[in-house]
Amino acid sequence: MAIHINNEQLLFHLQGKNTSYVMQVVRDGYLAHLYWGKRVHTYRGSNKIIYMDRGFSPNPDASDRTFSLDTLPQEYPAYGNGDFRIPAYQIQLNNGSTITDLRYKEYKMYKGKPKLEGLPSTYVEDENEAETLELIMEDKLLGLIVTLTYSLYPELDVITRSVHFKNEGSQNLKMLRALSASIDFRDDEYELITLYGAHNNEKNMERRRIVPGVQLVDSCRGASSPQQAPFLSLVRKGTDEDQGEVYAFNLVYSGNFTAQVQVDPYRNTRVSIGMNPFDFSWLLEPGETFQTPEVVMAYTANGLGDMSRIFHELYSKRLCRGTFRDKLRPILINNWEATYFDFNAEKIEEIAVEAKKAGIELLVLDDGWFGKRDDDNSSLGDWVVDQRKLPNGLLDLANRICELGLEFGLWFEPEMISMDSDLYRKHPDWCLHVENRPHTLGRNQLVLDLSREEVCQYVIESVSDVLASAPITYVKWDMNRHMTDIGSAALPPERQRETAHRYMLGLYKVMEEITSRFPNILFESCSSGGGRFDPGMLHYMPQTWTSDNTDAMCRLKIQYGTSLVYPPITMGAHVSTVPNHQVGRVTPLETRGHVAMAGNFGYELDLTTLTAQEKEEIKNQVALYKEIRPIIQFGKFHRILSPFEGNEAAWNFVSDDQSEVVASYFKVLSQPGASLRTLKFKGLNPDYIYKNVETGELFGGDELMNAGITLPRIKQDFLSMFWRFTKHHN
């Protein structure tokens, strides 16, 4: 067993391959956090808690002024009974008070990992892959039962946490805060890494020293958002890609979240993460339950690169699901930047003809095929074919594409409704809104109220009807605005602040139903690009459009930052035209190709307008990606040079058996008097001899990693270099 329990001391030791996580029940049933870090064989309490009297830290026991919840390192702290730090949960009673007092009741331990009702989560395929500990806490006065669930993946050094509330009392309880995890560290010698951004500028890495007070990232937009990701990590000073301690937290949820670090006056650090309590409450009537989303927690002493590979392994194998989880993903052409809304069946078929010549495998018809959709002002919710553009219907076009030898994909935005739509005219109350308040528009559209069962069923059936009507093998599921006017016509006043979370539960139900009905369709989530790139989405759709920004130089940072948590196989990455539509930059087609090949490869341009030379280069890119695709999508990813730290970026991929290597180097701007660069690869087998596929040169794996390759001096902006190595057999 990987979970060890000392029943006499009520000490719980979760022991992974390289990590230990230790808790203990202390003083009258309080649950204390003792240790998380490098694996210890047997925990005997060498780092015992020192109790002492601290001014203004009150005491639950008047006879002992040294014991205070304000200074105790805890696992799931409450509000109002002595701890002035940020609580993990807060509940309002009928009398208006918000004081609760959870004490330890019992534990359960078992092999495997439970599913979370109505929520996405990581999973196991064999019960021996994980072990689970449930610590059951109780407030006897209220009849409140709170179950803290810890699941350990021992081989990955991953612990997942979630919390289940049950009202076994006789009065209504109103939950005001219900975070998924809280953990207290006994020092503050950390730096904080988060991912921030905006539309077209997602997943920027921010690293800063933590200081006394609260450092917080969150979203109250109704989505995980491009502005801040539901992720944070604490790292020791000097930690880099290859060495140093990392404590990482990622919330498996696609809605409002908070992730925060609080340093108290005594230099203790509290990390807490979960659903955002802002504008949230949940009425828990007698007999009812509430489940929080899951948090994935990873520890490593081997730097950020190792942290990323832990997440990549877990997410690609035990978060993503379905037919395509372990399948090679197709190379696609999307017509969006080629035509926008201005297309017809003949134009799409012309693009498909050129795509087939290039070896592309899938054509995706983007926005504009339905209703009367000539711009973004109308028709969302009316999932019927626009016969002005497709006079013979969707089936005819899809069959023509398939007859060319390509697969056919389609764009939807199922969560939205246009005011100029038949659906809105029939059901104006189906959008999120507050009675007598004017609508706030975003991109000229409103958000459907997925907290309502009838709305969810409409989305399920209307999308399913289209998917069943033609040979569709790919869906791009978009979401292009955040929530405003958050209210539901179907909820009573006391439940209005449940709307945003009920929306997410509805969305997950919709996605579960549709993806289950159509297991042979590859679903890619999107939110104006990477606005909802989170683990919750990946549970239903195994890849995400990384950003609407397709400029290769911008994508260096976007894809590099995204890779901190998410594997390359989950990242949609396309080559687009120049000047780039987002930033106007002109970059070489070779560079655009090399950047996009670091993810799920495709194109977003009009192939019919390219020169013969460009078409030939694209044909060669497609052929190359087909050869390296297994390594990119299923190999191990190593970051070498960070575009956030200079003028260059580099990374390499290594196959699981270390027999094949793909590496890329990029330089943004050419510099005068530039130094010569030696690029050192990572993750190779030091005992293998590797052959350069292009030149035939032979080098040892140890040489490529330690001595490196000297890069030629090339005077060119937006430069890329690319290598393939294979194991040499004598």
Side-chain angles (χ1 to χ4, degrees):
M1 297 293 288
I3 298 178
H4 309 279
I5 299 176
N6 184 321
N7 285 292
E8 290 184 2
Q9 299 179 357
L10 286 179
L11 185 111
F12 306 94
H13 182 178
L14 285 63
Q15 190 176 63
K17 182 171 63 174
N18 300 296
T19 188
S20 286
Y21 189 102
V22 185
M23 303 166 283
Q24 186 176 22
V25 178
V26 301
R27 294 287 296 266
D28 304 320
Y30 297 109
L31 185 59
H33 175 78
L34 299 181
Y35 176 72
W36 184 26
K38 285 186 181 180
R39 186 182 191 270
V40 295
H41 184 269
T42 303
Y43 181 84
R44 294 186 172 91
S46 64
N47 67 333
K48 64 181 180 181
I49 299 172
I50 300 296
Y51 299 106
M52 60 185 299
D53 185 6
R54 295 286 196 184
F56 293 95
S57 291
N59 319 108
D61 180 356
S63 66
D64 183 1
R65 290 180 56 172
T66 69
F67 184 80
S68 175
L69 299 179
D70 195 36
T71 55
L72 180 71
Q74 297 177 68
E75 281 291 314
Y76 204 67
Y79 166 78
N81 50 5
D83 189 346
F84 294 108
R85 296 168 293 178
I86 294 171
Y89 75 102
Q90 188 177 18
I91 292 175
Q92 187 174 35
L93 314 184
N94 285 343
N95 63 10
S97 68
T98 53
I99 308 302
T100 54
D101 189 10
L102 289 178
R103 307 292 181 98
Y104 171 79
K105 181 181 181 183
E106 60 184 334
Y107 74 85
K108 295 178 182 178
M109 184 176 65
Y110 48 89
K111 287 187 175 182
K113 183 177 185 296
K115 293 182 178 180
L116 300 188
E117 183 179 355
L119 287 166
S121 64
T122 57
Y123 59 91
V124 296
E125 291 187 342
D126 183 294
E127 67 173 12
N128 293 309
E129 294 175 358
E131 295 179 19
T132 296
L133 173 68
E134 294 182 357
L135 296 177
I136 300 163
M137 313 292 288
E138 180 181 26
D139 185 323
K140 291 184 178 180
L141 181 65
L142 301 180
L144 174 66
I145 301 295
V146 177
T147 302
L148 310 179
T149 300
Y150 301 76
S151 292
L152 169 68
Y153 290 87
E155 293 302 307
L156 289 176
D157 294 317
V158 163
I159 296 168
T160 67
R161 289 182 61 177
S162 65
V163 184
H164 182 269
F165 294 81
K166 184 174 184 181
N167 183 0
E168 293 187 350
S170 59
Q171 67 169 300
N172 290 344
L173 302 176
K174 178 168 279 192
M175 303 176 62
L176 305 179
R177 174 188 294 261
L179 301 186
S180 298
S182 180
I183 183 170
D184 288 340
F185 298 86
R186 292 194 229 169
D187 69 293
D188 67 343
E189 296 297 318
Y190 302 100
E191 294 172 343
L192 171 66
I193 296 177
T194 58
L195 297 170
Y196 75 94
H199 176 226
N200 284 333
N201 185 27
E202 298 88 350
K203 301 296 188 294
N204 291 278
M205 293 176 62
E206 174 67 21
R207 181 168 178 167
R208 57 197 183 275
R209 179 80 167 86
I210 64 172
V211 298
V214 178
Q215 292 106 104
L216 176 146
V217 295
D218 72 347
S219 172
C220 54
R221 294 169 167 264
S224 52
S225 88
Q227 280 72 22
Q228 297 286 351
F231 164 85
L232 67 78
S233 66
L234 292 182
V235 302
R236 296 294 186 182
K237 184 179 180 180
T239 294
D240 58 23
E241 282 291 315
D242 306 307
Q243 59 84 37
E245 285 193 302
V246 183
Y247 301 85
F249 303 79
N250 195 204
L251 186 65
V252 186
Y253 189 61
S254 310
N256 296 334
F257 77 92
T258 185
Q260 54 204 357
V261 176
Q262 182 180 29
V263 179
D264 74 11
Y266 309 110
R267 302 288 183 175
N268 302 303
T269 301
R270 172 168 290 177
V271 175
S272 49
I273 184 169
M275 292 170 48
N276 200 332
F278 177 81
D279 200 40
F280 165 83
S281 67
W282 193 275
L283 183 61
L284 203 62
E285 296 182 358
E288 291 186 338
T289 63
F290 183 85
Q291 174 66 55
T292 74
E294 177 174 276
V295 172
V296 176
M297 300 169 26
Y299 168 82
T300 178
N302 299 313
L304 292 167
D306 193 54
M307 177 209 74
S308 296
R309 286 182 288 278
I310 290 171
F311 279 116
H312 294 181
E313 179 73 13
L314 178 69
Y315 286 177
S316 62
K317 298 287 174 44
R318 294 296 180 265
L319 176 71
C320 296
R321 303 174 299 162
T323 305
F324 291 91
R325 186 191 72 181
D326 302 322
K327 270 188 170 184
L328 292 172
R329 309 290 169 80
I331 302 171
L332 64 84
I333 177 75
N334 183 299
N335 74 295
W336 178 241
E337 289 195 17
T339 67
Y340 294 104
F341 295 102
D342 185 17
F343 63 83
N344 55 31
E346 287 67 33
K347 179 61 178 180
I348 299 301
E349 189 172 7
E350 289 172 8
I351 294 174
V353 168
E354 294 298 329
K356 178 60 179 176
K357 292 177 184 177
I360 292 170
E361 300 159 322
L362 165 70
L363 181 139
V364 179
L365 178 60
D366 210 280
D367 194 356
W369 59 267
F370 55 93
K372 297 178 181 178
R373 182 84 165 168
D374 296 325
D375 52 36
D376 59 12
N377 293 317
S378 74
S379 302
L380 289 173
D382 297 344
W383 301 112
V384 292
V385 175
D386 182 354
Q387 294 194 329
R388 299 173 304 156
K389 298 178 182 179
L390 307 179
N392 297 315
L394 200 61
L395 176 60
D396 175 73
L397 176 62
N399 284 337
R400 286 156 65 184
I401 300 301
C402 292
E403 287 168 5
L404 290 170
L406 277 73
E407 295 182 58
F408 182 70
L410 198 61
W411 178 96
F412 287 89
E413 193 171 359
E415 301 165 60
M416 301 292 152
I417 183 172
S418 299
M419 294 181 71
D420 181 9
S421 68
D422 292 339
L423 182 63
Y424 184 83
R425 284 182 280 272
K426 185 177 181 181
H427 296 289
D429 65 324
W430 275 17
C431 63
L432 293 178
H433 69 283
V434 176
E435 190 175 0
N436 298 321
R437 293 286 182 185
H439 292 311
T440 305
L441 291 172
R443 200 173 178 262
N444 297 303
Q445 61 198 55
L446 302 169
V447 182
L448 282 172
D449 182 2
L450 296 185
S451 73
R452 299 174 64 168
E453 176 65 23
E454 65 271 32
V455 179
C456 291
Q457 287 305 314
Y458 173 81
V459 173
I460 291 169
E461 297 306 327
S462 61
V463 172
S464 295
D465 287 348
V466 176
L467 296 182
S469 72
I472 296 165
T473 61
Y474 168 100
V475 164
K476 181 179 178 181
W477 183 296
D478 213 342
M479 190 280 284
N480 285 312
R481 66 153 291 183
H482 292 154
M483 293 183 189
T484 56
D485 316 318
I486 300 174
S488 173
L491 290 175
E494 65 272 17
R495 291 191 178 273
Q496 283 298 319
R497 292 179 70 179
E498 300 176 9
T499 303
H501 182 55
R502 288 186 180 276
Y503 176 98
M504 292 313 308
L505 296 176
L507 174 61
Y508 290 146
K509 177 181 177 179
V510 167
M511 288 184 164
E512 179 74 30
E513 178 66 26
I514 292 177
T515 57
S516 297
R517 287 190 188 185
F518 299 94
N520 296 317
I521 291 179
L522 172 59
F523 287 85
E524 178 177 279
S525 67
C526 175
S527 178
S528 291
R532 207 166 55 183
F533 203 135
D534 61 63
M537 287 291 108
L538 291 178
H539 186 68
Y540 303 97
M541 303 184 177
Q543 61 191 58
T544 300
W545 179 226
T546 315
S547 177
D548 278 349
N549 187 343
T550 52
D551 173 69
M553 294 300 100
C554 293
R555 273 298 188 112
L556 292 176
K557 288 184 175 180
I558 292 169
Q559 292 174 202
Y560 189 101
T562 303
S563 78
L564 200 66
V565 191
Y566 305 107
I569 192 173
T570 66
M571 286 192 262
H574 297 172
V575 175
S576 63
T577 193
V578 292
N580 175 264
H581 288 191
Q582 289 77 48
V583 299
R585 197 179 346 256
V586 176
T587 52
L589 181 54
E590 179 182 53
T591 300
R592 284 176 271 155
H594 289 161
V595 173
M597 285 183 198
N600 274 320
F601 188 56
Y603 291 86
E604 196 115 0
L605 41 70
D606 189 349
L607 294 169
T608 67
T609 63
L610 302 183
T611 66
Q613 182 179 352
E614 288 171 327
K615 291 178 182 179
E616 184 65 23
E617 187 168 354
I618 286 175
K619 183 177 180 180
N620 292 335
Q621 286 181 350
V622 170
L624 171 61
Y625 188 74
K626 287 178 179 178
E627 292 182 15
I628 66 173
R629 178 164 47 182
I631 309 165
I632 302 297
Q633 297 184 2
F634 299 109
K636 289 184 169 56
F637 179 67
H638 297 262
R639 295 179 294 267
I640 302 174
L641 297 175
S642 171
F644 294 104
E645 296 177 3
N647 190 45
E648 303 162 296
W651 48 64
N652 69 253
F653 296 82
V654 184
S655 61
D656 278 346
D657 64 2
Q658 297 178 300
S659 66
E660 296 183 84
V661 182
V662 173
S664 299
Y665 165 84
F666 306 94
K667 181 175 64 179
V668 180
L669 295 178
S670 185
Q671 301 291 337
S675 60
L676 295 176
R677 164 68 76 178
T678 302
L679 191 68
K680 298 179 180 180
F681 291 2
K682 296 181 180 181
L684 284 61
N685 189 314
D687 299 322
Y688 285 1
I689 301 297
Y690 290 92
K691 179 180 179 180
N692 186 316
V693 172
E694 183 177 4
T695 67
E697 295 173 291
L698 300 179
F699 303 104
D702 54 353
E703 184 180 4
L704 290 171
M705 290 190 293
N706 298 319
I709 287 183
T710 302
L711 304 183
R713 176 79 169 95
I714 300 176
K715 299 177 182 180
Q716 177 187 318
D717 291 339
F718 318 133
L719 172 71
S720 70
M721 299 181 189
F722 186 86
W723 299 266
R724 292 176 63 197
F725 286 91
T726 58
K727 181 183 177 184
H728 179 63
H729 300 278
N730 294 324

